[in-house]
Amino acid sequence: MTGSRRFDRAHRSAAAALFAILAGGAPLLPADRAAAGGGPVARIVIADGQFSLGGHRIWINGANTPWHLWNDFGGRFDAAWWDAHFRALHEAGINATRVWISCSGDVGVNIDADGMVSGATPEYWRDLDRLFAIAAEHRIFVQATLMSFDNFKDNHAHHRQWRRWLASDRAIDSYVDTILVPLLARYGQSPWLWSIDLMNEPEWVFENAECGRLPWERLQAYFARAARAIHRHSAVLVTIGMAMPKDASDTAARSRGNQISDRALQASLNDPGARLDFTTTHYYDWNGPIWGVAPYVTPGAYGLPADKPAVIGEITARGSAGHTPAQDYEAAFAHGWQGVMAWSSNGVDKFGDLTAFAPATRAFRDRHPELVRPDGS
């Protein structure tokens, strides 16, 4: 059977599965089967300091679609909206997006008053099944953000529970055992779960009073245990969406030391799996006067270590000051970044939406088709 006929059959299978899900059909397909329906067989890996798919380089021509209705999974997940939006992402030349699969830990995750986690609700898994079927149908690689500084912020209902959770190795293990390992069992073989972001902008948990000002040692305890589990149970890549280089570098201006290095995580947990696979930094214009305008300098000049690939995991959809989004994407590529993911595709705040940066992602796809869709899809 030719490759094109194989793809056509797989694509029809994924479409049928998606139709059943959107129509409310039961039972839902397991996510690995639904996701595999739209292949590719290969998954994104790291080779020679770059991302690779099936032996060919892939560059993350990406976006953030963090939430639609906040805490969507196990909450008010709207499969039809996500389906239409992922279709729009694909048409805009985007090959990957970042989704917060829990925004504040108030919905979908069972956590008690002491911070012990006992799993997720059936609705949470049902909604994630739908998300990965949609991702497969529209060939969008998902970076799943497990949690955010919002979990610990005092305007969210369960912030005290999450602060107690972070204070206890036993509680962290309860999350790993009942949420993360089942997540990997369910989706870890799907190529569409290409990476996991352990936490959105953990610096604010350390710095800000409203987030508890919790010590880096406790954040590292979570990062180390979660990374070990992901590497032990899957080939999914691991990162952390850092707000700035300040705590992700030993050399950057105002550095407090690299709190997420292999050395730091393995000091917390003596296991080679306690490590990140690539570095993610977020860039907004307030960063520029301190560290430089990220797309226009190399990751090393921005202060990031040279031992891992680096991605700009958030940047305003309207473009950095004085630049268009198209200039930002091309400059980042030229300066050795391995991807850019604009914030946000659905306009969750003041920084713009897909209409602002779709011309950039389309232009990058048209200029570098072999880097955006190396499988020819």
Side-chain angles (χ1 to χ4, degrees), residues 105-174:
D106 292 332
V107 174
V109 177
N110 300 317
I111 184 169
D112 70 15
D114 297 322
M116 296 297 292
V117 177
S118 57
T121 65
E123 293 80 10
Y124 181 82
W125 297 121
R126 176 201 65 197
D127 294 342
L128 282 177
D129 285 350
R130 292 171 173 176
L131 176 76
F132 282 104
I134 290 165
E137 167 67 9
H138 298 297
R139 306 183 68 76
I140 299 294
F141 293 102
V142 172
Q143 179 179 106
T145 298
L146 299 182
M147 62 181 69
S148 174
F149 66 84
D150 296 275
N151 286 53
F152 310 92
K153 195 173 181 181
D154 58 16
N155 65 334
H156 293 295
H158 291 159
H159 71 275
R160 291 184 181 87
Q161 289 97 314
W162 286 104
R163 292 182 189 183
R164 293 181 188 120
W165 168 80
L166 194 65
S168 164
D169 289 351
R170 180 168 169 263
I172 291 170
D173 287 340
S174 74

Side-chain angles (χ1 to χ4, degrees), residues 12-37 73 77-83 123-138 186-187:
R12 288 195 300 271
S13 173
L18 178 64
F19 178 81
I21 288 170
L22 295 179
L28 292 174
L29 287 174
D32 56 344
R33 287 174 56 200
F73 303 97
F77 182 81
D78 183 342
W81 182 89
W82 285 90
D83 176 50
E123 293 80 10
Y124 181 82
W125 297 121
R126 176 201 65 197
D127 294 342
L128 282 177
D129 285 350
R130 292 171 173 176
L131 176 76
F132 282 104
I134 290 165
E137 167 67 9
H138 298 297
R186 201 171 185 103
Y187 312 110

Side-chain angles (χ1 to χ4, degrees), residues 9 58 131 218 229 276 278 307 335 342-343 356:
R9 188 175 73 174
I58 183 170
L131 176 76
R218 296 313 309 159
L276 305 184
F278 64 97
D307 62 338
H335 284 88
W343 180 279

Side-chain angles (χ1 to χ4, degrees), residues 47-118:
D48 299 322
Q50 300 174 340
F51 297 121
S52 177
L53 180 70
H56 302 281
R57 185 183 181 189
I58 183 170
W59 197 82
I60 302 302
N61 195 38
N64 280 263
T65 315
W67 61 83
H68 170 45
L69 297 171
W70 189 259
N71 284 319
D72 295 72
F73 303 97
R76 296 176 293 160
F77 182 81
D78 183 342
W81 182 89
W82 285 90
D83 176 50
H85 195 73
F86 272 39
R87 181 183 300 112
L89 295 180
H90 189 276
E91 290 171 354
I94 289 164
N95 57 13
T97 197
R98 176 173 174 250
V99 178
W100 294 18
I101 64 171
S102 181
C103 294
S104 63
D106 292 332
V107 174
V109 177
N110 300 317
I111 184 169
D112 70 15
D114 297 322
M116 296 297 292
V117 177
S118 57

